[in-house]
Amino acid sequence: DTLVISGLLGIIVFGLMAKVAGKATSGVPGGLQNFVEMVVGLVDQQVKDTFHGKSALVTPLAITIFVWVFVMNAMDLIPVDFLPLLAGAVGIHYLKAVPTTDPNLTFAMSITVFCIMIGMNLKVKGVGGFLHEVFSAPFGMKLAPVNFIFRVVEDIAKPISLALRLFGNMYAGEMVFILIALLGIWQLPLALPWALFHILIITLQAFVFMMLTIVYMSMASESH
């Protein structure tokens, strides 16, 4: 479910953005072009404010993360029993419709970001410079073993916290929607306010994942 739904959402949203980019005009933009430009401009400004290195990868990576995580989170706004009912009609009796409520996906994304971060460290600082930073920061080479332990803990915490923050917030939100749906006729007065509040949550979680990625890339591209 996670692979299929996230893949389809990625194809749809990035295919649409590619189509808009291909038909972009320097004149008065249409509504869709204006919206895509606004999203890209927002992310690009965050990268310029946070990332001070030189890399052609960071802005596209940030845009990809923000847009993809947002649309996957937005699946939570579809009534929780709607897609499973449609799937049940064609013989699929279990469907997990929100990919970001699956820790396999959030950890896959966070580990990917972590690997890119390590790659950027090696590219910018070289193997020698990277190892020197690992063993010398923050207490100097005399406490190299302590520095190494601190660095390992810090680097392991990054993908774990990145993955669990997104998963935990989205899983909890989905559980609330399910509990509201079980109330039957009384669900409408509760579902609408929670859905409106959840729009803020899904946007914020996509933004936080993107911003932390930019921060990690910035840390990787600068000397301690």
Side-chain angles (χ1 to χ4, degrees):
D1 298 347
T2 298
L3 287 172
V4 171
I5 293 176
S6 64
L8 286 174
L9 289 174
I11 290 170
I12 292 169
V13 69
F14 294 121
L16 181 63
M17 291 178 73
K19 185 177 180 180
V20 170
K23 294 184 177 181
T25 174
S26 58
V28 179
L32 189 57
Q33 180 184 333
N34 198 33
F35 177 74
V36 171
E37 286 181 355
M38 183 177 68
V39 172
V40 172
L42 169 70
V43 176
D44 187 48
Q45 188 59 49
Q46 296 301 322
V47 173
K48 288 178 179 177
D49 292 341
T50 308
F51 181 77
H52 305 298
K54 292 183 178 179
S55 175
L57 173 68
V58 177
T59 299
L61 176 64
I63 292 170
T64 301
I65 287 174
F66 178 71
V67 173
W68 205 1
V69 172
F70 176 80
V71 295
M72 288 190 290
N73 289 351
M75 293 295 288
D76 217 5
L77 298 176
I78 300 173
V80 291
D81 51 355
F82 179 68
L83 291 177
L85 280 175
L86 289 181
V90 294
I92 300 172
H93 301 298
Y94 176 83
L95 179 69
K96 193 172 185 65
V98 187
T100 45
T101 60
D102 182 358
N104 293 288
L105 180 132
T106 59
F107 269 100
M109 294 187 71
S110 68
I111 291 171
T112 301
V113 168
F114 176 75
C115 291
I116 296 173
M117 182 190 73
I118 297 297
M120 184 167 290
N121 265 301
L122 295 173
K123 180 181 178 181
V124 173
K125 301 164 187 173
V127 176
F130 177 56
L131 290 176
H132 181 268
E133 184 180 89
V134 168
F135 287 102
S136 66
F139 302 121
M141 288 302 292
K142 290 182 179 180
L143 292 176
V146 177
N147 295 331
F148 177 73
I149 292 171
F150 277 20
R151 182 59 180 254
V152 169
V153 172
E154 177 188 346
D155 281 355
I156 289 176
K158 286 175 181 176
I160 293 176
S161 62
L162 201 60
L164 290 182
R165 181 183 295 106
L166 178 59
F167 162 71
N169 279 278
M170 296 311 302
Y171 186 78
E174 187 181 46
M175 288 298 101
V176 172
F177 274 123
I178 291 172
L179 291 173
I180 291 173
L182 293 174
L183 295 176
I185 195 172
W186 300 103
Q187 66 177 285
L188 185 58
L190 295 173
L192 183 58
W194 178 250
L196 294 174
F197 177 68
H198 207 57
I199 293 173
L200 174 64
I201 294 175
I202 66 177
T203 307
L204 183 62
Q205 289 305 312
F207 185 78
V208 168
F209 202 106
M210 175 198 74
M211 284 304 302
L212 287 175
T213 299
I214 299 171
V215 168
Y216 294 160
M217 296 305 155
S218 181
M219 293 168 63
S221 66
E222 297 173 354
S223 297
H224 193 278

